[in-house]
């Protein structure tokens, strides 16, 4: 029993001594304060002791940082992990769009959309995880993005997440960079602008028929003559042409090019609204073109599709259900303008597109020897402003904007134009990373020989990134 008592006493003393060692800095601080209050040590001694304690704490912090090679932080791209030698870095960000719509949750692009039942809908429009960074060298970068929103297949109760983007970028030299993988091709600004950096709740009616969206391939690009009046970007790429996550359907490839001139000598990022408040004006003018042979005439986040009737009035393309490999030749071009200055922003694009259907003859029958051609045209114009900068009583986070857009789905047929008129109000809590948006749209679909169809739409959305 005495041996046991001695063992317990010894263990208790050891534990007590360990606690005292761990608590020594705290006890030393308290003891110094007590001695100072009782006048046992002078003011000069007190200052000297405190300085020694601060130095010791700083040395301990520095030693800990040197022994632990990974830094943890947070920035505009989310939470970050990086090595102290700068060779490795990863940023992780989550983004959610929660939306209410009435009476439609999609663009009305067919006659049926204007006559179906009204729907009052809440939905998680996007639920994204973004991961990006660099490895081995700061200029060897990577990025991928997953949408966790449930996507239900037609006639199925199942759902699945979608891998939207995955790419590797070699960006050692600004004037010559290389990108490999799958991403939204740098064709037009409205589509490249992230859905989280839009001025409106959704892109215009022009987007669906004219975007070339996500493709798999390789692209050479670069920033040339930065900071001069010749400041600009170029992009040239080769892709499968089959859209997101699809293998090529034939031996043909999609080719794409874009030239952008920053005419005021300052680069303009792919982002809408002047939330940054450009003290000096910045603007860009761009031209882009693309050509493809395949079984697609349009693309989206879901992949390859066709502009079959009734989506495009007056253009009776071969239905995608029977379209053969290499069925269509699609050539398109666009010109673009963007400008920002002191809370004011303007963005506009004009699109032209020609689709040659090898499966339909000029007389309208399928399988004919003569291919048919259909020309499409469309444009949009966005303008926005933060009124606080002229009326100080208006809250600074408030932006108002307006958009007009039209699509002519078949230039050869008159009276079939779609139009969109959309005012919007934005409230930015933390720029595009946390904002509320409400917009109202008046959309029309003109029909040859009869009155136009009309629809009113209201949408409300909270977009937040963590």
């Amino acid at each position: 029993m005495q041996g046991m008592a001695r063992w317990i006493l010894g263990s208790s003393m050891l534990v007590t001594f360990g606690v005292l060692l761990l608590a020594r800095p705290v006890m030393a601080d308290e003891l110094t304060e007590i001695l100072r209050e009782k006048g046992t040590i002078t003011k000069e001694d007190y200052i000297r002791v405190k300085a020694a304690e601060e130095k010791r704490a700083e040395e301990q912090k520095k030693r800990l940082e040197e022994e632990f090679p990974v830094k943890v932080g947070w920035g505009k791209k989310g939470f970050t992990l990086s090595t102290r030698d700068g060779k490795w870095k990863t940023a992780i960000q989550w983004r959610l769009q929660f939306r209410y719509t009435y009476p439609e949750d999609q663009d009305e692009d067919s006659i049926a959309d204007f006559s179906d039942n009204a729907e009052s809908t809440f939905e998680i429009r996007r639920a994204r995880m973004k991961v990006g960074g660099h490895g081995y060298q700061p200029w060897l970068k990577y990025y991928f993005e997953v949408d966790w929103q449930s996507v239900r297949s037609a006639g199925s109760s199942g759902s699945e997440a979608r891998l939207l983007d995955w790419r590797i970028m070699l960006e050692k030299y600004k004037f010559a960079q290389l990108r490999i993988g799958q991403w939204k091709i740098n064709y037009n600004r409205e589509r490249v602008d992230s859905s989280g950096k839009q001025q409106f709740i959704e892109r215009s009616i022009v987007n669906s028929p004219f975007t070339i969206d996500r493709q798999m391939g390789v692209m050479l690009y670069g920033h040339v003559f930065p900071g001069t009046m010749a400041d600009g970007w170029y992009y040239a790429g080769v892709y499968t042409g089959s859209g997101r996550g699809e293998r090529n359907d034939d031996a043909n490839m999609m080719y794409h090019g874009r030239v952008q001139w920053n005419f005021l000598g300052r680069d303009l990022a792919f982002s809408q609204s002047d939330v940054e408040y450009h003290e000096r004006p910045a603007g860009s003018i761009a031209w882009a073109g693309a050509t493809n042979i395949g079984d697609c005439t349009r693309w989206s986040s879901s992949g390859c599709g066709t502009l079959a009737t009734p989506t495009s009035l007056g253009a009776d393309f071969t239905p995608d259900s029977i379209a053969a490999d290499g069925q269509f030749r699609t050539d398109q071009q666009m010109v673009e303008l963007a400008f920002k200055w002191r809370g004011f922003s303007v963005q506009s694009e004009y699109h032209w597109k020609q689709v040659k259907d090898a499966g339909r003859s000029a007389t309208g029958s399928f399988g004919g020897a003569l291919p048919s051609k259909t020309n499409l045209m469309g444009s949009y114009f966005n303008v926005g402003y933060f009124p606080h900068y002229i009326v100080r009583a208006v809250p600074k986070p408030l932006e108002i904007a307006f958009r007009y857009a039209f699509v002519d789905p078949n230039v050869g047929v008159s009276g079939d134009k779609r139009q969109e008129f959309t005012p919007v109000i934005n409230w930015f809590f933390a720029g595009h990373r946390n904002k509320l948006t409400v917009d109202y749209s008046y959309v029309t679909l003109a029909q040859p020989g009869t009155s136009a169809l009309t629809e009113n739409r209201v949408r409300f959305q909270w977009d937040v990134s963590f």
Side-chain angles (χ1 to χ4, degrees):
M1 292 296 292
Q2 291 180 353
M4 179 65 71
R6 284 197 298 269
W7 181 84
I8 294 174
L9 179 61
S11 299
S12 301
M13 292 178 64
L14 183 62
V15 171
T16 303
F17 182 69
V19 171
L20 289 174
L21 286 177
L22 292 173
R24 186 175 60 180
V26 175
M27 294 176 65
D29 286 345
E30 293 181 354
L31 180 58
T32 302
E33 295 294 337
I34 293 172
L35 293 176
R36 172 64 180 145
E37 291 176 0
K38 292 182 176 295
T40 306
I41 61 174
T42 64
K43 180 179 180 181
E44 290 75 12
D45 291 336
Y46 174 80
I47 294 174
R48 187 164 55 252
V49 170
K50 294 296 290 184
E53 291 174 353
E54 292 175 359
K55 182 179 179 180
R56 184 168 57 251
E58 187 65 29
E59 289 175 349
Q60 291 176 346
K61 179 181 177 182
K62 184 178 180 180
R63 186 168 60 253
L64 179 62
E65 290 179 348
E66 291 173 350
E67 293 174 353
F68 191 70
V70 178
K71 296 189 296 183
V72 179
W74 184 88
K76 63 180 181 180
K77 294 184 179 181
F79 291 96
T80 59
L81 297 171
S82 60
T83 57
R84 297 190 182 280
D85 60 10
K87 292 185 177 181
W88 300 86
K89 184 176 183 179
T90 295
I92 303 175
Q93 186 175 71
W94 298 88
R95 182 164 69 86
L96 173 73
Q97 282 186 347
F98 185 68
R99 182 183 298 180
Y100 168 78
T101 59
Y102 178 84
E104 296 281 348
D105 62 348
Q106 300 291 335
D107 285 333
E108 296 83 350
D109 58 2
S110 70
I111 295 175
D113 290 337
F114 288 84
S115 58
D116 59 0
N117 294 329
E119 297 177 354
S120 182
T121 305
F122 285 112
E123 66 172 327
I124 299 176
R125 182 65 179 87
R126 294 174 175 93
R128 303 279 176 87
M129 179 182 72
K130 302 179 179 182
V131 180
H134 64 259
Y136 300 101
Q137 297 292 337
W139 49 266
L140 183 54
K141 301 179 181 180
Y142 69 92
Y143 178 84
F144 69 88
E145 183 172 342
V146 177
D147 195 343
W148 296 100
Q149 177 210 33
S150 298
V151 179
R152 300 188 180 277
S153 304
S156 171
S157 60
S159 61
E160 60 180 5
R162 297 178 294 171
L163 176 61
L164 300 178
D165 287 41
W166 57 270
R167 58 183 186 258
I168 297 175
M169 293 82 71
L170 284 71
E171 299 184 343
K172 186 174 183 178
Y173 306 104
K174 290 292 185 182
F175 63 88
Q177 305 174 52
L178 188 68
R179 180 176 295 183
I180 302 169
Q182 173 179 285
W183 69 96
K184 286 186 295 186
I185 303 307
N186 301 71
Y187 178 71
N188 67 308
R189 184 173 285 269
E190 184 184 38
R191 186 60 183 138
V192 176
D193 289 338
S194 168
S195 58
K197 296 183 178 180
Q198 297 283 319
Q199 196 166 34
F200 298 78
I201 285 182
E202 200 55 84
R203 296 175 177 92
S204 72
I205 60 173
V206 175
N207 177 69
S208 178
F210 293 101
T211 180
I212 57 177
D213 211 83
R214 290 176 169 87
Q215 303 288 340
M216 289 188 290
V218 57
M219 180 178 73
L220 179 68
Y221 59 106
H223 188 189
V224 294
F225 310 114
T228 72
M229 295 307 293
D231 188 308
W233 286 83
Y234 71 89
Y235 306 83
V238 182
Y239 319 95
T240 61
S242 299
R244 182 188 67 85
E246 295 290 337
R247 296 173 60 88
N248 203 352
D249 62 312
D250 54 30
N252 300 296
M253 305 294 285
M254 171 185 281
Y255 300 93
H256 143 262
R258 173 184 167 95
V259 179
Q260 176 180 319
W261 175 36
N262 301 318
F263 56 86
L264 295 173
R266 288 177 284 277
D267 195 19
L268 195 60
F270 286 95
S271 175
Q272 299 178 17
S273 301
D274 189 18
V275 293
E276 307 90 347
Y277 188 78
H278 285 71
E279 285 284 0
R280 296 188 296 173
S284 71
I285 297 173
W287 169 90
T291 182
N292 182 64
I293 296 175
D295 58 359
C296 310
T297 55
R298 60 174 295 271
W299 297 268
S300 69
S301 295
S302 300
C304 173
T306 61
L307 293 167
T309 303
T311 301
S312 183
L313 294 179
D316 191 14
F317 297 109
T318 301
D320 56 354
S321 59
I322 62 173
D325 295 347
Q327 181 84 47
F328 305 102
R329 179 186 178 97
T330 303
D331 299 301
Q332 57 189 93
Q333 300 181 54
M334 76 97 212
V335 291
E336 165 196 293
L337 169 69
F339 177 82
K340 293 182 181 181
W341 188 34
R342 295 186 175 180
F344 175 74
S345 61
V346 170
Q347 185 166 308
S348 182
E349 297 171 4
Y350 170 81
H351 292 261
W352 173 87
K353 181 174 183 176
Q354 182 182 84
V355 178
K356 182 185 294 185
D357 187 347
R360 183 171 69 87
S361 71
T363 60
S365 61
F366 293 105
L370 298 176
S372 66
K373 294 181 181 179
T374 301
N375 293 322
L376 301 86
M377 182 172 61
S379 181
Y380 75 86
F381 178 81
N382 297 349
V383 58
Y385 189 64
F386 289 83
H388 169 80
Y389 296 116
I390 54 174
V391 181
R392 294 297 177 178
V394 177
K396 190 175 182 179
L398 179 69
E399 182 197 33
I400 57 174
F402 177 78
R403 175 170 69 204
Y404 168 73
F406 80 88
V407 173
D408 187 342
N410 190 346
V411 176
V413 175
S414 61
D416 62 343
K417 185 165 67 174
R418 295 169 55 206
Q419 296 185 87
E420 173 195 349
F421 306 84
T422 302
V424 67
I425 297 176
N426 289 306
W427 186 280
F428 296 91
F429 296 103
H432 282 297
R433 292 192 297 274
N434 190 355
K435 64 181 180 181
L436 292 175
T437 304
V438 57
D439 69 13
Y440 159 80
S441 293
Y442 176 71
V443 292
T444 68
L445 174 61
Q447 303 177 84
T450 185
S451 58
L453 300 173
T454 64
E455 183 75 273
N456 297 280
R457 180 182 62 202
V458 177
R459 300 180 293 194
F460 178 85
Q461 180 173 280
W462 179 32
D463 191 308
V464 60
S465 297
F466 299 96

